[in-house]
Amino acid sequence: MLTMNDVIREGHPTLRKVAGKMTLPLTDEEKDLADKMLEFLKNSQDPETAEKYELRPGVGIAAPQVNVSKRMIAVHVPSDDPEESEPEFSGVLINPKIVSHSVQQTCLSEGEGCLSVDREVPGYVPRHKRIKVEYVDIDGNTQKKRLKNFPAIVVQHEIDHLNGVMFYDHIDPDNPLALPDDLEVLGSAE
Ligand code: NB4
Ligand code: NI
């Protein structure tokens, strides 16, 4: 299983590289990594397992974060309806590409963090409120998904890692908590 020891931290050059496209079909090693990335997220969201293996909770992870500079991400976004056991969006996205997005931007009220950043970096991280993402799933099928709000923010954070971009690159250094009137804060109106 993947643990925090496998997660590289800021300063490691791989986090600033543009990751390479994956060729299909995936090798068994790549399939194994895909499974391990998704398993890591599920483990990290299970209080017992997270505590036992000292995992920081995560809703997303990108292959470069485990020092594999390839365009693969995993997301496991639980539904925000406690009754709903099914996750809102969960899976592995290979060669993900945002093919269109809204003009409207949104951000998380609490800002963002990153498993590769061992410090708090306060500030709003503007993201597209709605995106259409095209990717190949673990079975080799091309998928097109429309996402909005939290799942859309998670996928954008992960795709940034594939392009060597860190969440704090989007924070206004002069006024981190600036709220331009066209920037909606998720959790406020929603
Ligand atoms: C990626 C996210 C940071 C902002 C917002 C949040 C968590 C991450 C980083 C957008 C993407 C990891 C990957 C969480 C979390 C809410 C859901 C369900 C029950 C606990 C879990 C906590 F863990 N960020 N961590 N950071 N990244 N929400 N949740 N909860 O996932 O660096 O590149 O289990
Ligand atoms: Ni991250």
Side-chain angles (χ1 to χ4, degrees), residues 45 57-61 65 78 108 112-115 150 154 157-158 161:
Q45 293 184 23
V59 290
I61 191 166
Q65 291 184 279
L108 294 176
E112 295 186 13
C114 181
L115 297 172
F150 189 49
V154 174
H157 178 112
E158 305 319 328
H161 278 303

Side-chain angles (χ1 to χ4, degrees), residues 26-92:
L26 297 190
T27 64
D28 292 347
E29 193 193 2
E30 289 166 338
K31 274 206 189 83
D32 182 49
L33 176 61
D35 297 343
K36 282 191 165 59
M37 288 168 58
L38 190 53
E39 176 204 41
F40 171 88
L41 298 176
K42 294 172 180 174
N43 287 343
S44 79
Q45 293 184 23
D46 173 71
E48 283 87 44
T49 313
E51 191 187 346
K52 182 175 178 192
Y53 296 100
E54 297 173 328
L55 307 178
R56 275 183 60 188
V59 290
I61 191 166
Q65 291 184 279
V66 290
N67 205 17
V68 175
S69 196
K70 293 180 180 174
R71 303 187 80 81
M72 179 162 69
I73 67 174
V75 299
H76 190 69
V77 180
S79 158
D80 41 21
D81 152 5
E83 310 308 305
E84 177 55 64
S85 59
E86 275 309 296
E88 181 165 358
F89 186 52
S90 179
V92 171

